[in-house]
Amino acid sequence: MGFAKRHADPLIPLIGCVLLIGFGALFFPKFLTATYLLQQVQIAAFLGVIATGAMVVILLGQIDLSIPWTLGGAAIISTAMAASGHTALEVLAIPAGLGFGLLVGVINGVGVAVFRIPAMVWTLSVNAMLLGLAVINTGGFNPKGEASGLMIAVATKTTLGIPNAALLWLAYGAGVLWLFRRTTFGRALFAIGNSEKASFLSGVNTTRVIFAAFALAGFSSALGGLLLAGYANQAYQSMGDPYLLPAIAAVVIGGTSILGGRGSYAGTVAGTLFVTLLTSVLSVFQIDPAWRQILFGAIIVAMLLTQRRRIM
């Protein structure tokens, strides 16, 4: 089976994006302005980076539920170091935050690949422990600190009129796409998603691939956390909670099979844009956040049922 056949079609979420923009423009003409669309791309970049890591794990047929506090923990660490007043700590603020995400990813990889504990259970437990550590560290109050100048510049500034966050997402996505298409890791990722046992018998080091996938997911969540901290100029409690369901929704809406082995990064990009625009439309119409969560959950369930029918 060639790589192209493993791809999902991003056309459906792209059509959804056009419909959302058209629907919003009927009530608010600003939906068709370049300023609004670029703002949505900037916001989509935050979710897109996080969804990138979520997709890598989902391609394995696994799921990462530690996104919220991997994201939040990285943001807390980076902002605390950036505002410490010590030059050495300020320089290490971003690497420390990204390293934290990488470490959480490795821990998740140990649980899933070595101890063979279901990813849903392990990563949810890790997320709970990270939450507890954050509460102990902050005493339950909003963490102190502020984003570094570089974090703010990447998250909020533009280059030639294009948001820097979008450019970062573009570069990061290009790197991940290269991994999918040009490396043994990418081929093994799809193979394990189709059948881990068959991949192992074929000589694939499945443990190493699972480790790398969860490490990349943790890194992606941390990178998303740094972008969000730069956008808000601070870290705050539960800043990652609103991104777990939308990140998974973006991947699933983009056509990636929740059972693993099939998906495309183009689909995830399209799904991310759709989720971002949908969130914007719901916000403009002042839909309660609880109903937004219900809607995202319903969309995921609908996509899962659709995928199940295709398999049957």
Side-chain angles (χ1 to χ4, degrees):
M1 180 174 62
F3 187 87
K5 294 181 180 179
R6 295 180 297 189
H7 276 190
D9 188 356
L11 184 60
I12 294 177
L14 285 177
I15 292 174
C17 290
V18 174
L19 292 176
L20 284 172
I21 293 173
F23 176 76
L26 291 176
F27 300 91
F28 301 94
K30 73 170 186 177
F31 271 57
L32 293 177
T33 64
T35 300
Y36 171 79
L37 294 176
L38 284 174
Q39 181 188 46
Q40 295 309 300
V41 170
Q42 178 187 25
I43 295 172
F46 307 148
L47 176 62
V49 168
I50 299 167
T52 298
M55 177 188 178
V56 172
V57 172
I58 290 174
L59 283 174
L60 288 173
Q62 308 284 358
I63 197 162
D64 183 4
L65 299 180
S66 65
I67 289 174
W69 279 99
T70 302
L71 184 162
I76 290 172
I77 290 172
S78 294
T79 53
M81 293 178 68
S84 65
H86 300 286
T87 302
L89 292 179
E90 292 173 6
V91 171
L92 294 174
I94 293 177
L98 297 176
F100 171 80
L102 202 61
L103 176 61
V104 174
V106 169
I107 293 172
N108 286 336
V110 170
V112 177
V114 178
F115 297 132
R116 311 303 296 177
I117 297 175
M120 181 178 294
V121 177
W122 181 270
T123 58
L124 184 61
S125 300
V126 168
N127 189 70
M129 288 187 286
L130 293 176
L131 167 60
L133 289 173
V135 172
I136 291 172
N137 178 61
T138 62
F141 299 98
N142 276 336
K144 298 179 180 179
E146 58 185 26
S148 67
L150 180 58
M151 292 164 63
I152 294 173
V154 174
T156 63
K157 305 300 182 182
T158 63
T159 299
L160 299 177
I162 301 175
N164 290 336
L167 294 175
L168 176 63
W169 181 27
L170 177 64
Y172 193 59
V176 171
L177 188 59
W178 176 82
L179 283 177
F180 287 168
R181 289 179 175 271
R182 302 296 183 184
T183 67
T184 55
F185 168 75
R187 291 188 288 273
L189 200 64
F190 283 89
I192 293 173
N194 282 299
S195 174
E196 183 178 349
K197 183 177 181 180
S199 300
F200 177 77
L201 294 175
S202 299
V204 175
N205 190 329
T206 56
T207 299
R208 183 181 300 174
V209 174
I210 293 172
F211 259 105
F214 275 96
L216 182 56
F219 182 88
S220 299
S221 295
L223 181 57
L226 299 192
L227 287 172
L228 288 169
Y231 188 72
N233 195 24
Q234 64 177 345
Y236 48 92
Q237 293 285 0
S238 302
M239 64 185 295
D241 288 345
Y243 286 88
L244 176 59
L245 199 55
I248 296 173
V251 176
V252 176
I253 290 170
T256 297
S257 172
I258 199 73
L259 300 177
R262 186 176 69 87
S264 74
Y265 193 70
T268 296
V269 171
T272 299
L273 294 172
F274 175 83
V275 169
T276 302
L277 287 169
L278 178 60
T279 302
S280 176
V281 170
L282 294 176
S283 297
V284 167
F285 284 95
Q286 299 182 344
I287 303 299
D288 190 273
W291 284 104
R292 299 180 208 173
Q293 294 298 308
I294 292 172
L295 181 59
F296 286 137
I299 290 173
I300 293 175
V301 169
M303 293 301 296
L304 291 177
L305 291 174
T306 300
Q307 291 177 5
R308 185 174 182 273
R309 291 185 62 183
R310 288 177 180 174
I311 293 172
M312 295 176 64

